[in-house]
Amino acid sequence: MNKQKNPFWTVFLNQASPSVTRNQTKHVEGETEVHHRPKRGWVWNQFFVLEEHMGPDPQYVGKLHSNSDKGDGSVKYILTGEGAGTIFIIDDTTGDIHSTKSLDREQKTHYVLHAQAIDRRTNKPLEPESEFIIKVQDINDNAPKFTDGPYIVTVPEMSEMGTSVLQVTATDADDPTYGNSARVVYSILQGQPYFSVDPKTGVIRTALHNMDREAREHYSVVIQAKDMAGQVGGLSGSTTVNITLTDVNDNPPRFPQKHYQLYVPESAQVGSAVGKIKANDADTGSNADMKYTIINGDGSGVFSISTDKETREGILSLKKPLNYEKKKSYTLNIEGANTHLDFRFSHLGPFKDVTMLKIIVGDVDEPPLFTMPSYVMEVYENAKIGTTVGTVTAQDPDTANSLVRYFIDHNTEEDRYFTIDASTGTIKTAKIFDREETPWYNITVAASEIDNPGLVSHVPVGVRILDVNDNPPELAREYDVVVCENAKPGQVIQTITATDKDNSANGARFHFSLDEGLSLNPNFTLRDNEDNTASILTRRRRYSRTTQDIYYLPVLISDGGVPPLSSSSTLTIRVCACERDGRVRTCHAEAFLSSAGLSTGALIAILLCVVILLAIVVLFITLRRSKKEPLIISEEDVRENVVTYDDEGGGEEDTEAFDITALRNPSAAEELKYRRDVRPEVKPVPRHHPSSSLDSIDVQEFIKQRLAEADLDPSVPPYDSLQTYAYEGHRSEAGSISSLDSATTHSDQDYNYLGDWGPEFKKLAELYGEIESERTT
């Protein structure tokens, strides 16, 4: 076959490859340029080579030929490009091209090569290099394939004929532009007469009317794809399509029987399930869902029915207790209906069914029945043991009407506080009760038939303990009562309340008063507010902590019970220093020192100064007495020792000023006779206050006397000692202008305005306030 086609490919045509240079001639060396339309040198069409060649000899592809070739072998043909020398070889003399390997079009469809003709003698090109293409010609060597198979698909049951199910597609790797190698047609190999396939598009459709899922649900359809347009010799491939019919609600529910009978004992508990009933439905899923209803019957008020969504059963429950002695049977009409309807199939209905259910009530020996579901009884606290609390009653509901025996279940400690008569059911106390400790008791009373003790019924009994006025009232809490030093008469300093362990009926109203057995209290009084509270009031102006810092006030409290009870409590009232707005500043005892005009810090500072001065004096005396030799060794060592006392004082509150009484103390003068370089054998006597008799001595005469004694004293050191005494003389005849002594004089002036001058005058305001209060008292 190749031998017949190859001569055709080598025919010279007047059509050149797109890459061949046109209208050009190559300038041959040594020749003159000629300007005229050149003659075309060599041309050819594209070549073809058959794929999958299996022959023993290389496959002939085509022939290259140049017009310059005279057949004498002077022209040499050269082939370059894709596959040149490996896949494609050329005879450089004749220009014949052969393919040495079997080619696959599905891997590579064409090859691009370049051809050139050169002169063997000069090795120069005779023609320009030209490009040509060798295409691989397709053969039918690939079968159609279903890349997505196998398929799983669903279609609703009862669908109309021709309903589209699925479209399948097969692919063929052969060349679709050449011949029929890639032209595929579809056919059905398995699945008829239920389904069909379109031979061109591959669309699968239903082929029958009303395919019923309940009759057959699954189908396996085999589809074939064949190339060559289905002709003989074509290749084929197949796939499987699994088709499942989905359910629709085309089947109504049906009860297997029209009459049912159910036995229920009368001892069945209310709310419990007593039976089940079910209607069958051939559909599945939501198409089989149904609801059960009691549509009529004499037991519709005694029984109820619900639907179990998992099992689709009707659950019959008891709404009211059964009593065999009153009614022995019931009849119910029960309907089961689908909840999801498909109106396309309403002609197959109705989609519901009705059945009759007869319920037989069974006789059971029942336990005794109490006349009440629960009992509430009352008894007073402190009642004697054996006091009747109440009575419970139970009867045998059966026709035998057996005798009943009562007893208390001693399951808790509360049950041991009571006893019950086994025959009458009378409950009595077994202990004495205290309502304030336990106001309520819960016990359980049981009743059983004498003939059948195993049948027991229980009833709860609540016992309320009634109150008796047996607890006196008392203060609600411990009160911390404070009265300010600057309090005014009639001022409320505390409001008190009371509590009573008894209930409101025996202690709702409290009465407050002071103890009548005591004399009238001059400091405080009590006012009953008549709302279960009382107020403590002051009876005088101003209180002093220095005089009395704590007061005790007895209070009598009585309740309104029958008989009334009372108790006495004592309030402790502390006296404190307060601000003008009533805020407590301090209540501690050390705060009393502030009345002298000095704060705690000032007193500490004064004490420290005194201790330091005493230490300096002791050290000075000790050093002076420890000297055993005179301080002046040389007669020429003359020094001056000037001791100057020049202290004008720091005012009325300055306690550190120099005390001139030391000059008037003869004993102090004697101590100065000791030498400072000799340690005294006796300790110096601490300074003490001079007697009042020294106040009358003239200081000027005293100084002169001391000067004379110093001049005549032979034991003084041999150097000058200058001692200066500054004395300002007697006090003024006009007297003191200080305000400290004016407090003793009577005055009608009100010093309350001092409290408005600020914190700097707070102490002065308190001092004059206390003096005014003491003068008023």
Side-chain angles (χ1 to χ4, degrees):
M1 181 174 63
N2 294 337
K3 295 298 183 180
Q4 296 175 356
K5 290 183 178 181
N6 287 340
F8 174 77
W9 292 338
T10 58
V11 173
F12 294 101
L13 302 174
N14 293 327
Q15 181 179 1
S17 173
S19 62
V20 176
T21 303
R22 303 180 183 181
N23 302 328
Q24 295 180 3
T25 57
K26 185 175 181 67
H27 298 289
V28 181
E29 185 178 354
E31 296 182 0
T32 306
E33 182 179 357
V34 180
H35 298 279
H36 59 81
R37 181 178 180 85
K39 183 178 180 182
R40 182 168 298 173
W42 58 324
V43 293
W44 63 87
N45 200 354
Q46 62 181 358
F47 296 137
F48 293 89
V49 60
L50 196 65
E51 73 168 330
E52 304 292 346
H53 176 69
M54 304 300 292
D57 299 328
Q59 183 180 182
Y60 183 75
V61 178
K63 183 180 181 64
L64 299 179
H65 184 73
S66 174
N67 292 337
S68 301
D69 189 359
K70 306 300 182 181
D72 56 357
S74 62
V75 178
K76 182 179 179 180
Y77 296 96
I78 298 175
L79 184 66
T80 59
E82 295 179 338
T86 57
I87 299 176
F88 304 102
I89 59 175
I90 188 171
D91 188 331
D92 59 356
T93 302
T94 63
D96 293 330
I97 301 174
H98 290 80
S99 173
T100 62
K101 294 182 180 180
S102 177
L103 303 179
D104 188 358
R105 190 200 68 84
E106 284 70 39
Q107 293 184 359
K108 190 172 182 62
T109 59
H110 64 278
Y111 297 85
V112 179
L113 294 97
H114 298 84
Q116 190 174 22
I118 63 175
D119 191 338
R120 288 182 183 272
R121 294 187 298 253
T122 63
N123 206 24
K124 294 182 178 180
L126 300 175
E127 303 288 348
E129 185 181 81
S130 180
E131 180 183 277
F132 67 97
I133 297 175
I134 298 178
K135 296 189 65 175
V136 182
Q137 186 175 0
D138 182 51
I139 64 173
N140 189 20
D141 60 342
N142 290 280
K145 293 182 180 180
F146 293 93
T147 58
D148 297 333
Y151 302 88
I152 298 176
V153 68
T154 60
V155 63
E157 66 170 331
M158 308 300 290
S159 297
E160 296 183 359
M161 185 176 65
T163 301
S164 176
V165 179
L166 176 69
Q167 182 179 12
V168 295
T169 302
T171 59
D172 196 318
D174 294 325
D175 189 0
T177 63
Y178 178 77
N180 295 325
S181 298
R183 184 180 179 186
V184 179
V185 294
Y186 301 94
S187 62
I188 185 167
L189 301 181
Q190 177 183 319
Q192 294 176 333
Y194 307 102
F195 299 94
S196 63
V197 64
D198 189 299
K200 294 182 179 180
T201 62
V203 176
I204 302 173
R205 302 179 184 276
T206 59
L208 291 179
H209 286 286
N210 300 332
M211 298 176 66
D212 192 1
R213 184 199 66 84
E214 287 72 32
R216 182 177 177 181
E217 185 175 4
H218 301 287
Y219 296 87
S220 180
V221 179
V222 179
I223 303 298
Q224 182 189 64
K226 190 174 183 181
D227 58 12
M228 298 299 292
Q231 298 176 7
V232 178
L235 303 179
S236 64
S238 63
T239 187
T240 301
V241 181
N242 296 311
I243 302 175
T244 301
L245 298 182
T246 57
D247 185 62
V248 298
N249 191 12
D250 58 341
N251 293 279
R254 292 290 180 264
F255 285 103
Q257 301 175 208
K258 291 299 180 183
H259 299 277
Y260 291 91
Q261 185 169 305
L262 179 64
Y263 174 83
V264 180
E266 64 173 337
S267 59
Q269 298 295 322
V270 174
S272 62
V274 297
K276 299 179 180 179
I277 193 170
K278 183 178 182 180
N280 298 326
D281 194 323
D283 298 321
T284 60
S286 61
N287 296 317
D289 290 344
M290 64 183 66
K291 180 180 180 181
Y292 296 92
T293 309
I294 299 176
I295 55 177
N296 55 38
D298 57 358
S300 58
V302 181
F303 299 92
S304 63
I305 192 168
S306 60
T307 305
D308 189 329
K309 294 183 179 180
E310 299 294 332
T311 62
R312 297 185 177 89
E313 294 177 327
I315 309 299
L316 196 66
S317 302
L318 189 63
K319 292 172 59 177
K320 295 181 179 180
L322 300 176
N323 192 335
Y324 173 80
E325 288 71 25
K326 294 182 178 180
K327 190 171 180 62
K328 297 179 174 57
S329 65
Y330 296 90
T331 301
L332 301 176
N333 291 326
I334 299 176
E335 177 187 80
N338 283 143
T339 57
H340 299 84
L341 301 179
D342 193 336
F343 295 101
R344 296 177 301 171
F345 309 104
S346 58
H347 60 281
L348 301 176
F351 285 82
K352 59 183 178 180
D353 196 16
V354 179
T355 188
M356 186 178 69
L357 175 63
K358 185 176 182 180
I359 300 175
I360 305 299
V361 180
D363 187 18
V364 177
D365 191 4
E366 301 173 82
L369 181 64
F370 284 95
T371 56
M372 297 177 62
S374 63
Y375 293 86
V376 176
M377 302 176 183
E378 296 177 344
V379 64
Y380 280 98
E381 64 175 329
N382 302 329
K384 296 181 179 180
I385 296 177
T387 301
T388 300
V389 180
T391 302
V392 297
T393 304
Q395 295 180 351
D396 182 10
D398 299 323
T399 55
N401 196 13
S402 301
L403 296 178
V404 177
R405 174 180 174 270
Y406 302 95
F407 58 94
I408 296 176
D409 282 346
H410 294 289
N411 296 326
T412 62
E413 185 64 26
E414 294 182 355
D415 297 328
R416 305 182 184 277
Y417 282 76
F418 303 92
T419 60
I420 190 171
D421 190 295
S423 301
T424 63
T426 301
I427 301 174
K428 297 182 179 181
T429 61
K431 293 183 179 181
I432 297 177
F433 302 101
D434 185 0
R435 189 202 67 85
E436 287 71 36
E437 181 179 350
T438 305
W440 185 276
Y441 291 88
N442 293 308
I443 62 176
T444 301
V445 177
S448 64
E449 297 180 7
I450 296 179
D451 298 336
N452 190 358
L455 295 176
V456 181
S457 58
H458 300 80
V459 67
V461 178
V463 180
R464 181 186 297 110
I465 307 301
L466 301 179
D467 184 52
V468 174
N469 191 24
D470 56 348
N471 290 279
E474 56 188 12
L475 288 177
R477 59 183 176 86
E478 293 290 336
Y479 289 94
D480 183 16
V481 186
V482 174
V483 61
C484 296
E485 289 183 312
N486 56 358
K488 298 179 181 180
Q491 181 177 346
V492 176
I493 61 174
Q494 183 68 52
T495 300
I496 60 175
T497 60
T499 59
D500 196 328
K501 294 181 180 179
D502 297 322
N503 62 19
S504 58
N506 289 304
R509 173 68 177 91
F510 300 118
H511 177 71
F512 299 86
S513 62
L514 297 179
D515 195 343
E516 297 178 356
L518 302 176
S519 59
L520 181 64
N521 193 315
N523 300 306
F524 304 97
T525 185
L526 182 142
R527 181 182 64 199
D528 193 338
N529 298 325
E530 297 184 356
D531 59 352
N532 291 335
T533 65
S535 299
I536 308 300
L537 295 87
T538 58
R539 298 195 65 177
R540 64 184 180 86
R541 179 187 298 273
R542 296 193 175 275
Y543 297 82
S544 176
R545 287 174 292 162
T546 58
T547 304
Q548 184 175 353
D549 60 343
I550 295 178
Y551 294 88
Y552 298 98
L553 183 66
V555 177
L556 185 66
I557 310 172
S558 60
D559 59 20
V562 179
L565 298 178
S566 62
S567 66
S568 178
S569 300
T570 301
L571 294 176
T572 301
I573 304 175
R574 295 185 299 145
V575 181
C576 298
C578 303
E579 304 288 349
R580 293 184 60 84
D581 56 1
R583 290 181 299 169
V584 176
R585 185 171 72 250
T586 179
C587 297
H588 299 294
E590 57 268 23
F592 296 162
L593 296 175
S594 62
S595 61
L598 296 178
S599 63
T600 303
L603 290 176
I604 294 175
I606 292 172
L607 292 176
L608 289 176
C609 292
V610 171
V611 171
I612 292 173
L613 290 175
L614 289 176
I616 292 174
V617 171
V618 172
L619 180 62
F620 174 76
I621 295 174
T622 302
L623 292 177
R624 182 178 179 184
R625 292 182 179 180
S626 62
K627 290 291 184 176
K628 295 183 179 181
E629 293 183 2
L631 297 176
I632 304 300
I633 299 176
S634 175
E635 294 181 356
E636 296 180 359
D637 185 7
V638 179
R639 69 185 70 180
E640 293 182 356
N641 184 7
V642 180
V643 180
T644 301
Y645 297 91
D646 189 7
D647 187 1
E648 296 183 358
E652 298 173 355
E653 296 184 0
D654 186 2
T655 60
E656 294 294 336
F658 177 72
D659 190 359
I660 199 171
T661 57
L663 297 176
R664 304 175 183 178
N665 190 355
S667 61
E670 292 297 328
E671 291 179 356
L672 297 176
K673 295 180 180 181
Y674 291 103
R675 295 177 56 181
R676 290 180 295 172
D677 58 344
V678 178
R679 183 184 301 274
E681 296 179 357
V682 295
K683 296 182 179 179
V685 179
R687 185 178 61 184
H688 60 275
H689 296 285
S691 62
S692 60
S693 62
L694 294 178
D695 294 337
S696 60
I697 299 177
D698 188 358
V699 177
Q700 184 176 3
E701 295 296 332
F702 175 76
I703 293 176
K704 291 180 180 180
Q705 180 183 356
R706 298 302 294 171
L707 179 61
E709 291 177 358
D711 292 338
L712 299 177
D713 188 0
S715 62
V716 297
Y719 52 83
D720 292 337
S721 176
L722 178 61
Q723 299 183 12
T724 302
Y725 300 93
Y727 177 66
E728 296 181 358
H730 296 284
R731 66 178 181 177
S732 173
E733 295 180 357
S736 175
I737 61 173
S738 173
S739 61
L740 295 177
D741 296 334
S742 62
T744 57
T745 61
H746 295 281
S747 175
D748 296 333
Q749 185 176 358
D750 186 5
Y751 295 99
N752 290 334
Y753 64 89
L754 295 176
D756 300 331
W757 288 8
E760 294 83 357
F761 298 91
K762 180 187 300 183
K763 188 66 62 179
L764 189 61
E766 293 178 356
L767 181 62
Y768 274 87
E770 292 179 0
I771 295 174
E772 178 68 20
S773 176
E774 292 176 359
R775 188 178 71 245
T776 304
T777 305

